[in-house]
Amino acid sequence: MLNIKKLIALVLSVSLLLGIVANLLSGITERNAKADVLAAMERVMPAENYEKSEMQFDAATRILSLYEAKKGDELVGYCVETEADGYENPIRVVVGVDANGAVTKVEVLSIAETSGYNSKIKGEDFLSSFVGKNEELTVVNGKADTSAKIVAVSGATVSSNGVKE
């Protein structure tokens, strides 16, 4: 039978080991997240290099990071990592924007919405509707009768609006 001193020592040892493992895993998780963002930036706005902007954003904008995309010294556009509210959870995206302010591509980094809708929101059919847009957009159900309207994924209007934001 364990006495109280041995039990306390065992609990402290296990707690210490769990803390060490959690610390190691958080570093790996952070590195993987940064690699995912960089890979997405290369897909939404191909460039030779990306320079992180030092611009500070108000928390209300929900911009997580902004990068200038450059070919040599020439600015070709921007990559914006941002998040917005979905139906159940935040949706994180990376958006490529060319030097004229038009969207080049949108890529969803993370989404955890109602089962079955994740793939539709992340799908090329929906995300390609943002390409070339440089105006204030509205998500609609049904048909988009102007270029400023994006057709929502059926049954996922809130999530569609989250990506639009």
Side-chain angles (χ1 to χ4, degrees):
M1 188 175 267
L2 289 174
N3 67 31
I4 193 73
K5 288 182 181 179
K6 287 183 180 179
L7 183 59
I8 290 172
L10 178 64
V11 168
L12 289 174
S13 298
V14 169
S15 297
L16 179 64
L17 286 173
L18 287 174
I20 291 169
V21 169
N23 190 32
L24 291 172
L25 291 178
S26 72
I28 292 169
T29 302
E30 188 176 315
R31 281 192 303 276
N32 288 344
K34 286 181 180 179
D36 290 346
V37 171
L38 179 59
M41 289 181 352
E42 291 171 346
R43 289 187 293 271
V44 302
M45 176 56 67
E48 291 174 359
N49 60 62
Y50 303 91
E51 295 178 12
K52 188 169 185 176
S53 171
E54 297 302 320
M55 188 179 300
Q56 298 295 313
F57 297 98
D58 183 288
T61 66
R62 302 196 55 189
I63 293 175
L64 304 175
S65 62
L66 172 68
Y67 288 83
E68 293 180 348
K70 294 185 173 185
K71 289 187 178 173
D73 290 334
E74 178 189 0
L75 176 70
V76 294
Y78 301 91
C79 294
V80 183
E81 177 190 9
T82 185
E83 71 176 11
D85 293 328
Y87 181 70
E88 295 179 6
N89 297 289
I91 300 170
R92 281 186 48 229
V93 301
V94 172
V95 181
V97 179
D98 69 20
N100 297 317
V103 173
T104 58
K105 191 170 184 179
V106 177
E107 185 163 318
V108 176
L109 290 175
S110 66
I111 183 170
E113 296 295 275
T114 305
S115 181
Y117 293 107
N118 290 342
S119 61
K120 292 178 182 177
I121 292 293
K122 290 169 63 172
E124 192 63 29
D125 287 346
F126 175 63
L127 295 178
S128 67
S129 61
F130 293 92
V131 175
K133 308 293 172 120
N134 64 353
E135 59 212 313
E136 184 69 30
L137 301 173
T138 304
V139 172
V140 296
N141 292 312
K143 276 192 146 177
D145 56 2
T146 70
S147 66
K149 294 184 179 175
I150 302 290
V151 177
V153 170
S154 180
T157 304
V158 174
S159 300
S160 299
N161 270 303
V163 173
K164 185 246 342 172
E165 290 300 317

